[in-house]
Amino acid sequence: MNSLKTATLRFASLASNATGALGKRDFTRSLWHMTKTGNNNSSDHVAILNVHKPSVNCTCGCNIHTKAERELVEFLTEEIIAERKVQKGKTVPSTLEGFAVKLDGANVELTKQTEKEKIVVSFNVNHTVDSEDEPEINPNADKPELGEMRSKPQFEVDIIQGKATLSFTCTYLQGEAQEGEYNDVFSIDEMAIYEGEWNEKIYAVAGDVLDGYLYDLLMNLLEEKGISQEFAEKLSDLATAHEHTSYIGLLEKLSKFSSGSK
């Protein structure tokens, strides 16, 4: 996606009404058809997007019936190659800190079984990618440097003992810790305890209203169960690798769909 990001960021730096955080993986229209056009009033008229009508007959023999589809496939071919280069060396491990890793589409589940209990960490990688840092973009630069794209999903931790489940919802913290603050990677958003299956009737308490000492004790409990700050960092690495693999897979499916391949 590197080439599309570069074009989009250049355009965003010139547009006065541009929105959205730089570095995020936003879906944007291709700027291929943006061209400068002169008029009698200004020699620096902003480009206008030319909309092309689909061609009725395709003579290239490639099963692509419109100009838009052909350009989309051409772009995707280059984009997939670029994304694979970035992906090189990044794989999803089968285990992580004693947890077995299971992938199911965008869902990820990590499980660890002991004689006393079962611990399950689960999350979904959809809409979890953001830039580590939002760099200052130099519009004159050919290739603006972007922050690393990382997946930091909200994740659930279930500690199951018999029929009872102690459940935590955790979120990655943004930014760096200020002086006097704990240098935690994640925080507890919500906690609940229940028997059987989860349902909406079960009471859950928000982490930010818990007694401060109780909150610290619960964080210590999670660390004792293997959900440490270091584990959370590695969990983000795993999520990033899986999200990127899933994204490349989506590009490949889109290319096949646009080209009419089965």
Side-chain angles (χ1 to χ4, degrees):
M1 190 191 320
N2 302 323
S3 56
L4 178 56
K5 279 185 185 173
T6 301
T8 304
L9 289 171
R10 285 176 178 167
F11 181 71
S13 66
L14 299 176
S16 60
N17 62 343
T19 59
L22 297 179
K24 291 185 179 180
R25 180 179 289 162
D26 294 324
F27 288 97
T28 56
R29 285 186 181 272
S30 171
L31 302 180
W32 288 1
H33 297 306
M34 302 296 286
T35 57
K36 294 187 69 175
T37 57
N39 57 25
N40 296 329
N41 299 324
S42 173
S43 60
D44 193 25
H45 188 65
V46 178
I48 299 175
L49 180 64
N50 297 318
V51 180
H52 299 271
K53 295 182 180 179
S55 59
V56 177
N57 299 317
C58 178
T59 59
C60 64
C62 63
N63 295 324
I64 301 174
H65 304 293
T66 69
K67 179 178 176 63
E69 288 172 337
R70 183 170 65 254
E71 290 179 340
L72 178 58
V73 172
E74 289 172 353
F75 170 79
L76 288 171
T77 299
E78 296 181 0
E79 189 72 355
I80 290 169
I81 293 173
E83 291 292 338
R84 283 177 176 168
K85 288 181 179 179
V86 175
Q87 182 195 33
K88 189 175 182 180
K90 297 180 180 179
T91 59
V92 178
S94 58
T95 61
L96 180 68
E97 298 292 306
F99 286 82
V101 179
K102 178 182 178 182
L103 307 178
D104 183 13
N107 292 330
V108 182
E109 184 177 278
L110 293 83
T111 307
K112 181 166 66 175
Q113 181 76 56
T114 67
E115 294 181 2
K116 180 182 176 182
E117 61 197 7
K118 179 181 180 182
I119 304 173
V120 179
V121 181
S122 58
F123 59 89
N124 184 292
V125 297
N126 287 341
H127 313 296
T128 62
V129 174
D130 204 346
S131 176
E132 279 284 276
D133 299 296
E134 293 184 8
E136 294 183 4
I137 303 300
N138 180 0
N140 297 321
D142 292 333
K143 295 182 179 180
E145 293 185 4
L146 301 176
E148 181 185 4
M149 305 295 287
R150 289 188 63 80
S151 173
K152 294 185 176 181
Q154 184 179 75
F155 59 94
E156 305 287 332
V157 180
D158 293 330
I159 304 172
I160 306 167
Q161 296 180 1
K163 295 181 179 180
T165 300
L166 175 58
S167 182
F168 297 91
T169 301
C170 302
T171 300
Y172 284 91
L173 296 173
Q174 302 295 325
E176 297 182 357
Q178 301 299 316
E179 185 176 353
E181 293 182 346
Y182 290 109
N183 191 26
D184 290 338
V185 175
F186 70 94
S187 64
I188 298 174
D189 275 3
E190 189 177 84
M191 183 201 73
I193 186 167
Y194 57 92
E195 291 191 0
E197 298 294 328
W198 166 264
N199 62 72
E200 295 297 329
K201 296 180 181 180
I202 295 170
Y203 173 74
V205 61
D208 57 3
V209 301
L210 286 171
D211 176 86
Y213 185 58
L214 174 58
Y215 180 92
D216 290 342
L217 291 174
L218 291 173
M219 289 293 285
N220 291 342
L221 175 66
L222 285 173
E223 183 174 7
E224 188 178 73
K225 302 299 182 181
I227 317 301
S228 63
Q229 302 301 316
E230 182 180 358
F231 174 85
E233 291 278 16
K234 293 180 179 180
L235 191 71
S236 177
D237 292 339
L238 185 155
T240 300
H242 181 51
E243 194 280 338
H244 195 196
T245 299
S246 301
Y247 177 67
I248 294 174
L250 182 146
L251 294 183
E252 292 172 339
K253 290 178 182 178
L254 178 58
S255 179
K256 290 180 180 179
F257 181 88
S258 300
S259 64
S261 300
K262 295 183 179 180

